[in-house]
Amino acid sequence: MTMVTVLAGVRAAIIDLDGTMLDTIPDFHVALSGMLAELELPPVAREQIAVMVGKGSENLIRAVLALQLKEDPYSPPVEARFNVAMEAYQRHYLAINGQHSALYPDVLEGLQAMQADGLRLACVTNKPIAFTTPLLKLKGLDGFFEVVYGGDSLARKKPDPLPLLTVCADFGLQPAQVVAIGDSSNDAQAARAAGCPVLTVPYGYNHGESVQNIDSDGIVISLLDAARLIRSQTTPT
């Protein structure tokens, strides 16, 4: 199927947060450093964090503990520290949420262009909703989205298709009419399972893997580029 065919009927977009709209690794680094200090464990490097984010807080905390304890993520030593670590992480993250993160280039311009073109917008992220809502507001992004789902808003998170299918139902649109835009295989797998077209950006995290390896319908250099591409395929000539 060609790009023209895939995007021709698009009426809405579901956009990821971490690694797609915001570079939040600095926030993760500060919060995890505080957590690890409380547990009397050594700090983790930003480069190590970048390959761990994207699958939700529980996965992140398990991965960090496993790395620092040199254990399996579900081993008894990790389990023994997990609850305390999660509480500390959430406390530290909420205290600094958004203070060290930054918008990627052309995010605002891209959202403005999509909105101007009449696309309905949703944000679907695996970040907990308690972190997501204030972060979007702090960065001036909250006004763009009719629907926002965090990783704990529904019974299952990406790469499960449930969040994307829920947005499609919210909008009263078929999955083929709703494009997903993200930076990782989580976004693409969820979109494929839901039946949504999917575009990927090349600058995010993607668990340390190359974006070229993601099964998507195309790579766009920015959200503004995505808006222009969608417009070019959905505007009658």
Side-chain angles (χ1 to χ4, degrees), residues 31 64 73 93 95 112 155 224:
V64 170
Y93 201 104
Q112 289 165 349
L224 182 56

Side-chain angles (χ1 to χ4, degrees), residues 22-217:
L22 288 170
D23 178 9
T24 48
I25 291 297
D27 278 351
F28 285 118
H29 187 246
V30 172
L32 288 169
S33 295
M35 178 200 82
L36 290 167
E38 286 192 25
L39 271 63
E40 298 183 344
L41 292 171
V44 63
R46 291 189 184 192
E47 295 74 20
Q48 294 170 309
I49 297 169
V51 303
M52 299 177 183
V53 300
K55 296 183 178 180
S57 293
E58 179 177 322
N59 182 83
L60 174 62
I61 300 309
R62 288 190 181 279
V64 170
L65 289 175
L67 176 67
Q68 302 309 73
L69 294 171
K70 297 180 173 56
E71 296 280 353
D72 181 84
Y74 289 90
S75 65
V78 170
E79 292 289 355
R81 291 170 172 82
F82 178 77
N83 288 337
V84 172
M86 179 62 81
E87 185 281 326
Y89 168 72
Q90 291 177 330
R91 178 164 29 84
H92 283 284
Y93 201 104
L94 282 171
I96 56 90
N97 188 12
Q99 293 180 18
H100 306 276
S101 60
L103 286 165
Y104 285 110
D106 289 334
V107 167
L108 282 175
E109 293 83 354
L111 293 174
Q112 289 165 349
M114 291 181 202
Q115 198 171 58
D117 289 340
L119 291 179
R120 301 180 71 178
L121 299 178
C123 175
V124 172
T125 173
N126 282 348
K127 184 189 270 333
I129 194 68
F131 298 168
T132 300
T133 305
L135 181 58
L136 288 172
K137 184 174 183 179
L138 179 67
K139 299 300 182 181
L141 302 177
D142 54 323
F144 291 102
F145 301 104
E146 290 184 50
V147 175
V148 177
Y149 289 126
D152 53 354
S153 295
L154 302 166
R156 296 181 298 280
K157 62 172 74 78
K158 297 180 292 185
D160 192 281
L162 177 63
L164 276 63
L165 290 171
T166 302
V167 171
C168 293
D170 291 339
F171 285 169
L173 296 172
Q174 294 300 310
Q177 297 175 292
V178 185
V179 62
I181 305 173
D183 68 307
S184 78
S185 56
N186 270 349
D187 303 298
Q189 289 168 18
R192 287 284 182 251
C196 297
V198 56
L199 300 173
T200 46
V201 295
Y203 49 73
Y205 311 137
N206 193 34
H207 325 299
E209 300 294 327
S210 170
V211 70
Q212 280 75 21
N213 295 334
I214 298 175
D215 175 24
S216 76
D217 295 306

